[in-house]
Amino acid sequence: MEIQKCHEWYTNERGTFLTIDHFSSMIMMLPSVMVAGSDGDFDELEKQNLANSCKEIDSNLHVGFEIYSELCYLLSAGAENHRNTVLDCIKAELNKDQSYGELIIEMMTEMADSSDGISDTEAAKIAELRSVLSI
């Protein structure tokens, strides 16, 4: 799904106020959040790193809060449909511009390495997401 259509679909589904630019930033962060949660321990340091990244997206803290909230939602068990649709959107964007792939890999690796190094579970999730996203 193309980013514009995905943004429209997602904002209608979730009732968010994120602009397309904020939404684009948010979805590119999703794989790293999925890696952080893959070992069942989305720990304090990983949460703090995510919060800091969200704050850097816009000077308006409400935007950062919304992005953080939506990423946590997308990580939840009940969000599989939304998560899969967003991953499809990311893959479509990567097909147009593969340079985002390097950024996504870097974010996933940094998130996994942020506390106690990269666990086997996190490494497996990174490999799975690289395969799903073809990066």
Side-chain angles (χ1 to χ4, degrees):
M1 180 183 296
E2 189 262 336
I3 189 79
Q4 181 69 37
K5 289 182 181 181
C6 188
H7 174 253
E8 291 170 9
W9 167 80
Y10 192 87
T11 55
N12 286 333
E13 286 281 314
R14 294 285 299 152
T16 69
F17 64 83
L18 298 174
T19 66
I20 192 164
D21 290 338
H22 295 138
F23 178 76
S24 296
S25 295
M26 180 192 80
I27 68 171
M28 292 302 171
M29 294 168 69
L30 177 61
S32 67
V33 175
M34 292 175 68
V35 168
S38 66
D39 60 3
D41 182 25
F42 190 26
D43 66 36
E44 194 63 35
L45 186 54
E46 290 167 331
K47 289 176 184 175
Q48 185 61 50
N49 288 340
L50 176 59
N52 289 339
S53 295
C54 290
K55 281 193 260 182
E56 291 176 12
I57 292 172
D58 194 284
S59 60
N60 181 342
L61 287 178
H62 293 99
V63 172
F65 295 150
E66 183 81 3
I67 290 170
Y68 186 94
S69 173
E70 288 304 313
L71 285 168
C72 289
Y73 163 73
L74 287 167
L75 193 59
S76 70
E80 187 173 353
N81 180 50
H82 288 107
R83 186 171 50 248
N84 289 337
T85 301
V86 168
L87 289 172
D88 288 343
C89 180
I90 295 168
K91 185 174 182 176
E93 290 301 303
L94 289 171
N95 285 334
K96 290 191 281 184
D97 187 347
Q98 201 57 28
S99 68
Y100 294 120
E102 294 172 24
L103 176 62
I104 290 171
I105 292 167
E106 183 180 323
M107 288 189 298
M108 289 190 299
T109 304
E110 286 177 3
M111 182 66 85
D113 197 34
S114 68
S115 61
D116 301 328
I118 301 172
S119 70
D120 291 341
T121 304
E122 291 168 329
K125 182 55 99 174
I126 290 170
E128 174 192 335
L129 288 167
R130 287 187 70 169
S131 176
V132 165
L133 299 173
S134 301
I135 52 175

